[in-house]
Amino acid sequence: MQKAILLLLVFIFSQLSAQDYEFGDVSFKELKETKDDVFGEANAKLIYREIEFEFGKVLYVFERIKIYNKEGFNHAKWEINFDDVESLKAYTHNLENGQIVSVKVDKGSVFKEDVGNGVEISKISFPNVKEGSVLELKYKVRDIGLRSINTQATIPIKNLFVLLKNPYSYELKITENPLSKVDLKVNQKPYEIRYRGTNIKGIKEERFVENTDSYLGKLYIEQVVGKGKGKLDDWGDVAETYNDWLPFGQELKKNHFFRDDLRAFIDDSMSPMEKAKAVYYYLQERMQWNYNYSLGSENIRASYNDKKGSVSDINLTLTSMLRWVGLEANPLLLASVNRGYVLFPTVKGFNNTITALEIDDQIYYLDASSKYANFGEIRNAFINGNALIVYKDDTYKIVQTSPTKISKEFSIVSVDLDLENATAVGSLKSRYNDYSAYNFRGKYLLKSKDAYRDFLTEEHPKLTPSNIEFKDLSNGKKPVTISYNFSYKDCLEKIGDNIYVEPLLYFGMYENQFNETERLYPIDFRYPYSKTITININLPEGYKIDELPEPKKISLEENNASFSFNTTQVGSVLQISYQLDINYALVNAGYYDGYKQMFTEILKTSQSKIILSKK
């Protein structure tokens, strides 16, 4: 009996390595299929994905894709995240008059695209795609060291096979994404690891998720480079590895080249915070970012003298400067949003170094490469889960990059109602603080006021803004102030002797973005914020208030968020007060229903009416 079980197990594991599909061998059954037996709602699926990878040598990929309907046509444009691709073959297969007709993808349908930071990818557009088509693609890439292999896609995968050759010879650390729901069967042998999966769901796209890839099924691959144990078993190994890395640890020790410059404006009478801000703003003003991301620096002195450099060039210099003036400053390793979250000890998972400053038990994240970031603000791309502070003695601290300080937005609006043209005519003045101001600068600092006007009219087609003015747009130390005049048509309706007016005008909600029945991932607001709007409506002569929307005050559990709405009449002016507070940047999916209910009430308020009647 035991022998029979053993033979059965051997047979099962042998099947884990079997290639069930041959390129070009597409069946009538696959072409005739109109929906999947498990994923009946899918517009397309990966019938088969096979990946074979030998670290540092060669990657082999074979994929077969089924297109069910027109909504699946967008999957006929495939991306390969490499530019140096060999042995590329791709076909579109269709069933025509009872025969299988195959069309080869020609060279004109394969092109390269620069996606920034010196990275190029290959894109393929399959020809002759129809409802029911089957697409095939295979290629090789040589001399490659992948950081990850996807075991999930945006569409379902019916059959997945991944073979990692000689992982132990290269001292590879293989980790499955702990945030994914993909269940893989694994078979390890002395010189290879095999993974097999069936009926893998496509990853769900959800709003308020900055990068869905953070939750994608994948195998993270990292060659161990740490000392000591020889394995990246804990964060101490990571800290030690970076401190021993010459472009990181050794560069931080350099401080002679900037001492005279700092002596010109730093003295012992200054408080630690005064010193920190003086050094930060000095370097921020002096240096120009060269648009390169980096972890280490070849020469921070050369970068300083040239007055330009990468993220790490500038911030390793900042860390060294702050240390020289006597402050507790250390490099902060983080991953930009497009890398996904850092979830376990890793060296290669990070791609940027900024500065962590500790004063009076408070940690400030500083990025002097960001030209208009205020003290303690980091760019949106760096707000991405865990980061690692590396101390001189190889100790470390894991910190969260999500901001905790609430950014405030204030708007005051004055409105007159033009009854003849069913239009609200008025003026607005807004002030954005902290991250609200920082993000506004990022969008419009290098653009004209016309760009902001275009944004307003695209978001609100019935709005016509004029006389747009910005104040302190280029001064990261101050809030951004915005003012303009406007007319907003079709916001009121006259029925008989009554007038019906939208209470929030174009500041209300058009749809509830919290409309999912099931939430899988945390809600990412990027930063906590408080939005306050006061609208003063001058009542038309000869009219009085007949009916007002009901006041509302909603607070979510554990102080997650709150919403309030109220109306007050002062003489001939109706004052409308709106306030929305989002108190946390990243919220667990378990609170989703509360947000859904709150935003449903905001939508109801936006769609309610003020009723005016003749006196």
Side-chain angles (χ1 to χ4, degrees), residues 83-99:
D83 60 344
D84 191 14
V85 177
E86 295 181 16
S87 306
L88 175 64
K89 289 186 179 181
Y91 285 86
T92 302
H93 305 283
N94 287 302
L95 194 59
E96 297 180 6
N97 300 320
Q99 299 294 320

Side-chain angles (χ1 to χ4, degrees), residues 178-205:
L179 297 182
S180 80
K181 307 295 184 182
V182 175
D183 183 23
L184 299 176
K185 295 179 180 178
V186 186
N187 181 21
Q188 297 191 29
K189 291 186 175 183
Y191 300 104
E192 61 187 33
I193 308 176
R194 303 164 184 170
Y195 298 86
R196 192 73 179 252
T198 56
N199 290 323
I200 300 170
K201 287 183 179 180
I203 193 164
K204 183 184 177 187
E205 297 285 343

Side-chain angles (χ1 to χ4, degrees), residues 225-248:
V225 293
K227 284 188 173 182
K229 303 173 188 177
K231 297 290 182 183
L232 294 176
D233 292 329
D234 56 41
W235 289 109
D237 293 342
V238 178
E240 181 183 11
T241 298
Y242 272 97
N243 278 334
D244 289 343
W245 184 39
L246 293 181
F248 188 90

Side-chain angles (χ1 to χ4, degrees), residues 315-384:
N315 288 302
L316 286 175
T317 304
L318 175 63
T319 302
S320 185
M321 283 181 161
L322 292 171
R323 286 178 173 180
W324 189 78
V325 301
L327 300 178
E328 180 61 40
N330 295 284
L332 178 66
L333 299 172
L334 45 74
S336 54
V337 168
N338 62 358
R339 300 275 287 194
Y341 289 140
V342 172
L343 303 166
F344 44 80
T346 172
V347 170
K348 299 297 184 181
F350 301 105
N351 67 337
N352 284 286
T353 301
I354 60 172
T355 300
L357 173 68
E358 299 182 50
I359 298 179
D360 297 331
D361 298 323
Q362 178 74 35
I363 301 177
Y364 301 89
Y365 306 153
L366 305 178
D367 176 15
S369 72
S370 184
K371 202 66 173 175
Y372 301 100
N374 202 355
F375 186 90
E377 294 174 353
I378 59 176
R379 64 189 78 207
N380 187 67
F382 292 170
I383 300 174
N384 189 48

Side-chain angles (χ1 to χ4, degrees), residues 41-255:
E41 301 299 318
N43 300 315
K45 72 177 179 184
L46 272 156
I47 298 173
Y48 186 62
R49 169 178 282 177
E50 178 186 349
I51 299 171
E52 294 185 10
F53 177 51
E54 186 169 2
F55 188 86
K57 293 187 177 180
V58 64
L59 167 73
Y60 167 81
V61 178
F62 167 31
E63 295 179 316
R64 182 177 293 176
I65 307 151
K66 173 69 178 184
I67 305 295
Y68 286 114
N69 51 42
K70 292 179 180 178
E71 286 74 21
F73 282 9
N74 60 315
H75 297 289
K77 296 180 180 179
W78 216 239
E79 290 186 2
I80 304 174
N81 293 324
F82 314 101
D83 60 344
D84 191 14
V85 177
E86 295 181 16
S87 306
L88 175 64
K89 289 186 179 181
Y91 285 86
T92 302
H93 305 283
N94 287 302
L95 194 59
E96 297 180 6
N97 300 320
Q99 299 294 320
I100 297 177
V101 178
S102 302
V103 179
K104 185 178 181 179
V105 175
D106 58 32
K107 292 183 179 179
S109 297
V110 181
F111 57 95
K112 295 180 181 180
E113 179 179 319
D114 187 348
V115 294
N117 209 28
V119 177
E120 281 190 339
I121 64 173
S122 301
K123 288 193 170 185
I124 295 177
S125 182
F126 285 85
N128 200 33
V129 176
K130 305 174 183 179
E131 293 182 344
S133 293
V134 171
L135 317 178
E136 284 194 303
L137 168 70
K138 73 173 183 178
Y139 60 88
K140 287 193 300 187
V141 184
R142 294 186 185 276
D143 304 321
I144 186 170
L146 284 180
R147 195 177 73 87
S148 64
I149 291 176
N150 290 346
T151 58
Q152 191 177 21
T154 55
I155 55 177
I157 303 177
K158 292 298 289 184
N159 297 280
L160 171 75
F161 173 60
V162 179
L163 172 61
L164 301 181
K165 297 181 178 180
N166 292 328
Y168 310 110
S169 299
Y170 293 97
E171 296 188 50
L172 300 185
K173 178 183 177 183
I174 314 296
T175 309
E176 294 186 46
N177 185 359
L179 297 182
S180 80
K181 307 295 184 182
V182 175
D183 183 23
L184 299 176
K185 295 179 180 178
V186 186
N187 181 21
Q188 297 191 29
K189 291 186 175 183
Y191 300 104
E192 61 187 33
I193 308 176
R194 303 164 184 170
Y195 298 86
R196 192 73 179 252
T198 56
N199 290 323
I200 300 170
K201 287 183 179 180
I203 193 164
K204 183 184 177 187
E205 297 285 343
E206 292 183 335
R207 289 171 167 172
F208 301 102
V209 175
E210 195 70 9
N211 182 11
T212 305
D213 276 5
S214 294
Y215 307 96
L216 188 73
K218 61 178 67 180
L219 302 173
Y220 292 100
I221 303 169
E222 185 158 1
Q223 188 173 24
V224 175
V225 293
K227 284 188 173 182
K229 303 173 188 177
K231 297 290 182 183
L232 294 176
D233 292 329
D234 56 41
W235 289 109
D237 293 342
V238 178
E240 181 183 11
T241 298
Y242 272 97
N243 278 334
D244 289 343
W245 184 39
L246 293 181
F248 188 90
Q250 288 301 114
E251 289 300 307
L252 276 171
K253 295 177 182 179
K254 296 180 180 179
N255 57 34

Side-chain angles (χ1 to χ4, degrees), residues 513-578:
Q513 293 186 315
F514 292 82
N515 55 9
E516 299 164 13
T517 56
E518 179 189 27
R519 180 75 183 192
L520 296 180
Y521 313 127
I523 308 162
D524 190 351
F525 291 107
R526 309 307 292 147
Y527 56 89
Y529 66 89
S530 176
K531 186 174 185 178
T532 302
I533 304 171
T534 300
I535 303 173
N536 296 309
I537 299 178
N538 297 312
L539 299 177
E541 188 175 349
Y543 282 86
K544 62 181 179 66
I545 296 173
D546 190 62
E547 187 176 325
L548 292 171
E550 64 178 21
K552 290 182 180 176
K553 191 169 185 178
I554 301 169
S555 296
L556 300 189
E557 58 182 319
E558 299 186 29
N559 195 36
N560 260 274
S562 62
F563 165 67
S564 64
F565 170 84
N566 205 0
T567 58
T568 307
Q569 183 177 357
V570 181
S572 61
V573 177
L574 175 63
Q575 186 174 87
I576 299 168
S577 301
Y578 169 106

